[in-house]
Amino acid sequence: MLMLRTIILSILYVFICLSAATGQTDERILIRVNETEVNAEEFIRLYTKNRNIEENPDFNEYFNQFLVFRLKVEQAMDEGLDTVGSFKQEFEGYRAQLARNYLTDNEAREAVMRKAWERLRQELNAWHILVNCRPEAHPDDTLIAHRKALEIKARIIQGEPFEQIARAVSDDPSVASNGGNLGWFTALQMIQQFEDIVYSMKPGELSDPVRTPFGYHIIKLEGVRPSRGMIRVAHIMKAVPPGSGEETWKTAGDEIVRIRKLISGGESFEDIASKESDHRESASKGGELDWFGAGDIVQEFSDAAFALQKDGDISEPVRTPYGWHIIKRLERKPLGSFEENRVLLEARLSESHMNSIARQSMVDKLKKEYGFSMNHTSMEWFITNIDSMISSGRTRLDRTTMPSGNIFEFDGGRMTCRSLADLIEQNIKTFDGVNTRIQLMRAVEENAAEMLIRKEDSMLEEKYPDFRYLVKEFHDGMLLFEINSREVWNKPYVDTAGLYKFYLEKQDSYMSNPSADAKIYSIRKSGVKVKPLTKMVSKFGSREGGDKKILDRYIAGGDTNLVITTGKWQVGDHPEIDRHLRKRGTSNIQWNGMESVLLVERTWPSEPIPFEEVRMDVAMAYQNHLEENWIAQLKKRYPVWVNDTLLEELRLKLDGKR
């Protein structure tokens, strides 16, 4: 049932999210179930969705189903199923999913995705040199790092080789292996500030110092090319440990050459990969790797893979920093359109810095909408006193001189000076006494953003009718599942005594057809007369050893012209013999295209089918029985009022007759 629940709620989620807005909402009351009023808009939305699935649904039938749905939900609410902790937790999870689209600036997010898409259409090759400088370094240290970066740029302009300088001064640990060359990469693989600059450059251009959280970068753009798309390959690897000498490399190289010869001789690439590849993760799958593109994998491997011309091609041995490889191309595909890559872009953006752009844009809009204001005078007091607090080693701010009032406020939210003081004291280790202003503003802005988002979240049902109805549909759909499970769906599995009692009461519905124990004697050879066979079957068919006697009569050339089929047949199973199964004796029939004689030895009347053989059918009938009784009880339990005039108006409108 857990799997069924997951499937149904997942379908409900997709179904609801695909529904279109209906424009203006119709808040007129259509029905009243007990004390619960249901307006026309709720019915219109559900009917419209049903029509998207079922072509031309019967309006009256659907309205009756809607009434039953509302009666069931009324019972669930009446019995407090929506107040159970597990229900509330699950419902809040679904509401949060629905709210996401309303709590981000989708226009900004779309623009960010389009920008990323345009960049993904290109692959870049760049060099860089890094000068370490942490984000909140002392201004003096920041200035020193910036001057060092400028000096490095000047040396490059004066003609010193980029790689030579990189190996001598770059603080990037990878410089030892790549000399500062980042290889080919594409969008969403580098940190934001780096990506923004390098995608604005031209081949051969040298950047000014670029500040990122890692420090200052000097970037040289080596080349630009169109995206090569994605590729999927299998490989066989002979690993070489880091720091190994040339002898180790030669040994691994000899091994990979031996393997390449085996493959050229016709041995299976996949079998060899599973047995001999040192990359055990892929070896278990015949060497197969996941899809990759530029920048996703070491460049020597990537270049060799993309050089393969067609699916099934196998490379010569390829050396990478990790060892020797043989690569087999499995599939290659172009980048595809924006829409084809939308899911990929959304997944990557949600994990990257670019997602914050859409969130910040939303926060900026909310600040305007809710009249956000900041008290900068109070902020200055905190900046001064945090520095004093750190330098003196105190753990608390001087609250006697602390300003009264708020740090910021907006319609429905605020942060008081005392709240900010508590926050600072609890997180004093995050302040270093150097960049207090930046650190404090960051903390305040983050709290403001969270409060604004929470405020907007609390207003969604009021501001957006579409959202209000979506949430209500989820809420009521979950309640319907809960109450249906308890009253109907689970009953056959928990009330086994009731199920068996129902079987006994309805046993006449689970009767077998009349049957017979019989044998069929079929003549395999055409032209052989059936009449003599009929006489022999009548005389010997039911006697012990009789079948052998009959078979002996039809042996010809060491083979028999007769086939005997024995079994128990039910009326209804085989039209060729149905009418002969109700009485004992012989009958001439056609069986599988052969002249045959049917011998009915014993007949069996109709009888109840054992419970275990029809348990699933009984369970379904039991559920239908429970459903009918339950609906009848609900109609007696809860009074229902219908606005017949409005209902008729909706029927004409929704059926397309007006």
Side-chain angles (χ1 to χ4, degrees):
M1 291 303 295
L2 180 60
M3 182 176 290
L4 175 62
R5 176 189 185 82
T6 302
I7 292 171
I8 290 177
L9 291 178
S10 297
I11 292 172
L12 178 63
Y13 176 71
V14 173
F15 182 47
I16 285 175
C17 291
L18 288 174
S19 64
T22 58
Q24 289 186 324
T25 56
D26 191 338
E27 301 290 344
R28 292 177 294 171
I29 303 304
L30 176 61
I31 63 173
R32 186 181 297 110
V33 178
N34 201 21
E35 298 300 321
T36 303
E37 293 182 339
V38 181
N39 63 33
E41 183 64 23
E42 180 178 342
F43 175 77
I44 292 169
R45 287 170 178 265
L46 291 174
Y47 179 83
T48 302
K49 292 172 189 176
N50 185 68
R51 187 165 57 190
N52 290 338
I53 295 175
E54 178 186 348
E55 189 175 353
N56 299 321
D58 183 87
F59 182 88
N60 293 330
E61 180 181 344
Y62 184 79
F63 179 72
N64 289 332
Q65 293 174 355
F66 180 74
L67 278 180
V68 170
F69 161 61
R70 293 310 321 171
L71 284 165
K72 291 179 178 180
V73 172
E74 185 66 23
Q75 179 182 339
M77 295 280 288
D78 199 22
E79 297 180 10
L81 295 188
D82 59 333
T83 64
V84 177
S86 58
F87 177 92
K88 292 169 69 175
Q89 182 179 2
E90 185 175 10
F91 170 65
E92 286 303 320
Y94 281 113
R95 185 194 177 279
Q97 290 183 52
L98 294 172
R100 285 175 188 166
N101 283 337
Y102 292 84
L103 297 177
T104 188
D105 186 338
N106 288 319
E107 289 184 8
R109 183 173 177 80
E110 186 76 7
V112 169
M113 288 174 60
R114 289 281 179 183
K115 181 179 178 181
W117 158 247
E118 289 300 326
R119 290 179 174 179
L120 281 172
R121 296 173 66 183
Q122 291 184 319
E123 296 174 2
L124 277 55
N125 188 311
W127 297 76
H128 90 127
I129 296 171
L130 171 66
V131 178
N132 280 341
C133 184
R134 60 191 178 89
E136 295 163 358
H138 190 280
D140 291 344
D141 295 331
T142 302
L143 181 58
I144 291 170
H146 187 262
R147 285 176 176 170
K148 182 178 178 181
L150 287 173
E151 291 170 359
I152 291 170
K153 179 179 180 181
R155 290 171 62 185
I156 297 169
I157 292 174
Q158 290 167 9
E160 286 191 56
F162 194 104
E163 181 176 355
Q164 179 179 309
I165 299 175
R167 290 189 183 277
V169 303
S170 181
D171 292 322
D172 182 352
S174 69
V175 72
S177 60
N178 63 25
N181 182 242
L182 298 171
W184 291 96
F185 58 90
T186 189
L188 304 175
Q189 294 177 339
M190 300 294 177
I191 198 163
Q192 177 187 359
Q193 299 91 332
F194 190 103
E195 179 180 307
D196 287 344
I197 292 297
V198 75
Y199 267 93
S200 69
M201 296 170 63
K202 297 178 181 178
E205 188 176 349
L206 191 67
S207 76
D208 289 326
V210 178
R211 184 69 187 268
T212 77
F214 300 106
Y216 286 101
H217 305 254
I218 300 296
I219 307 170
K220 179 183 178 183
L221 182 60
E222 185 72 19
V224 179
R225 69 187 182 195
S227 168
R228 295 190 295 182
M230 303 288 286
I231 194 168
R232 191 169 68 87
V233 303
H235 79 134
I236 299 169
M237 177 184 183
K238 281 301 171 184
V240 177
S244 296
E246 281 305 312
E247 187 62 31
T248 304
W249 278 99
K250 183 179 185 306
T251 301
D254 291 343
E255 277 293 291
I256 211 75
V257 168
R258 177 186 63 83
I259 290 171
R260 184 65 179 86
K261 288 179 179 177
L262 292 176
I263 296 169
S264 298
E267 293 200 28
S268 166
F269 187 102
E270 291 73 21
D271 288 347
I272 295 177
S274 64
K275 295 173 184 175
E276 300 204 37
S277 179
D278 291 338
H279 188 235
R280 301 318 302 169
E281 182 181 350
S282 63
S284 62
K285 299 179 288 185
E288 288 189 20
L289 298 172
D290 292 334
W291 288 94
F292 64 86
D296 291 332
I297 203 164
V298 64
Q299 184 166 335
E300 295 90 340
F301 189 99
S302 178
D303 286 346
F306 277 102
L308 296 172
Q309 295 301 303
K310 61 181 183 299
D311 295 348
D313 280 359
I314 298 172
S315 75
E316 294 301 319
V318 177
R319 180 170 172 168
T320 76
Y322 306 104
W324 288 96
H325 311 257
I326 299 170
I327 305 169
K328 178 180 180 179
R329 173 170 150 172
L330 301 177
E331 293 179 84
R332 183 173 172 179
K333 61 183 179 183
L335 181 62
S337 67
F338 173 77
E339 288 301 329
E340 289 170 338
N341 283 273
R342 178 178 288 276
V343 173
L344 171 66
L345 287 165
E346 288 177 342
R348 287 193 178 183
L349 287 173
S350 65
E351 298 169 0
S352 77
H353 60 270
M354 300 184 81
N355 193 45
S356 65
I357 297 174
R359 184 178 187 270
Q360 186 58 50
S361 179
M362 183 68 181
V363 169
D364 291 342
K365 288 182 178 180
L366 294 178
K367 282 183 175 181
K368 293 179 181 178
E369 181 177 348
Y370 292 122
F372 180 90
S373 64
M374 181 81 76
N375 187 331
H376 294 286
T377 302
S378 295
M379 284 289 287
E380 290 299 325
W381 182 92
F382 277 96
I383 292 167
T384 301
N385 280 269
I386 291 171
D387 290 342
S388 174
M389 179 181 172
I390 293 172
S391 62
S392 65
R394 290 184 287 111
T395 58
R396 289 181 61 81
L397 292 162
D398 183 2
R399 294 173 184 254
T400 61
T401 61
M402 183 185 300
S404 59
N406 302 321
I407 289 295
F408 64 75
E409 59 185 33
F410 58 90
D411 181 15
R414 62 179 182 167
M415 172 181 268
T416 65
C417 289
R418 291 194 173 273
S419 296
L420 180 56
D422 292 339
L423 179 67
I424 292 168
E425 290 165 356
Q426 292 165 10
N427 299 278
I428 190 61
K429 291 183 179 179
T430 63
F431 295 89
D432 59 9
V434 177
N435 291 298
T436 305
R437 183 180 302 277
I438 295 173
Q439 293 161 341
L440 182 62
M441 185 56 73
R442 184 179 298 158
V444 170
E445 285 290 343
E446 184 57 33
N447 274 268
E450 290 294 331
M451 292 176 68
L452 285 161
I453 293 292
R454 285 199 300 270
K455 166 68 175 178
E456 180 70 359
D457 192 13
S458 70
M459 298 292 293
L460 293 179
E461 280 85 353
E462 181 179 334
K463 290 176 67 174
Y464 303 105
D466 282 342
F467 180 79
R468 181 171 71 250
Y469 282 107
L470 293 181
V471 170
K472 188 175 189 305
E473 287 169 34
F474 247 113
H475 177 272
D476 293 350
M478 290 175 63
L479 282 178
L480 179 66
F481 186 95
E482 293 289 343
I483 199 73
N484 261 336
S485 296
R486 193 188 72 185
E487 298 291 335
V488 177
W489 295 339
N490 291 347
K491 282 286 181 71
Y493 309 101
V494 298
D495 182 18
T496 53
L499 180 65
Y500 187 70
K501 180 182 177 184
F502 178 79
Y503 162 75
L504 294 177
E505 292 172 352
K506 303 292 183 179
Q507 207 169 50
D508 288 349
S509 301
Y510 304 101
M511 301 292 288
S512 67
N513 289 329
S515 60
D517 294 332
K519 291 188 284 188
I520 301 175
Y521 300 80
S522 303
I523 299 173
R524 296 168 61 186
K525 187 175 181 180
S526 61
V528 177
K529 295 182 178 179
V530 73
K531 188 172 182 181
L533 176 61
T534 305
K535 291 182 178 180
M536 289 196 71
V537 170
S538 298
K539 185 174 182 180
F540 301 109
S542 296
R543 296 183 185 180
E544 186 175 348
D547 285 348
K548 185 178 183 306
K549 187 181 290 291
I550 298 171
L551 283 169
D552 289 343
R553 171 67 177 79
Y554 283 86
I555 290 177
D559 194 8
T560 179
N561 290 322
L562 192 66
V563 178
I564 303 176
T565 306
T566 303
K568 184 173 184 177
W569 284 277
Q570 284 193 358
V571 172
D573 286 348
H574 297 281
E576 296 171 89
I577 60 175
D578 271 358
R579 62 191 181 91
H580 304 290
L581 292 178
R582 297 180 185 274
K583 62 179 181 177
R584 296 176 60 186
T586 57
S587 304
N588 291 345
I589 63 170
Q590 285 284 323
W591 182 256
N592 294 332
M594 297 180 285
E595 293 286 344
S596 305
V597 177
L598 170 69
L599 172 62
V600 176
E601 297 185 294
R602 183 174 181 180
T603 61
W604 302 91
S606 177
E607 58 185 357
I609 302 172
F611 173 67
E612 289 302 328
E613 292 183 20
V614 292
R615 188 185 188 103
M616 292 305 298
D617 292 336
V618 176
M620 292 177 64
Y622 187 44
Q623 287 174 333
N624 292 335
H625 168 74
L626 292 170
E627 174 91 6
E628 291 173 2
N629 288 346
W630 181 30
I631 292 171
Q633 292 169 9
L634 287 171
K635 289 179 178 179
K636 292 179 181 179
R637 180 176 177 180
Y638 297 114
V640 175
W641 170 84
V642 179
N643 185 336
D644 292 321
T645 303
L646 178 55
L647 180 64
E648 179 62 16
E649 177 187 327
L650 294 178
R651 185 184 68 80
L652 294 173
K653 176 182 178 181
L654 295 174
D655 269 1
K657 296 179 180 178
R658 176 178 293 181

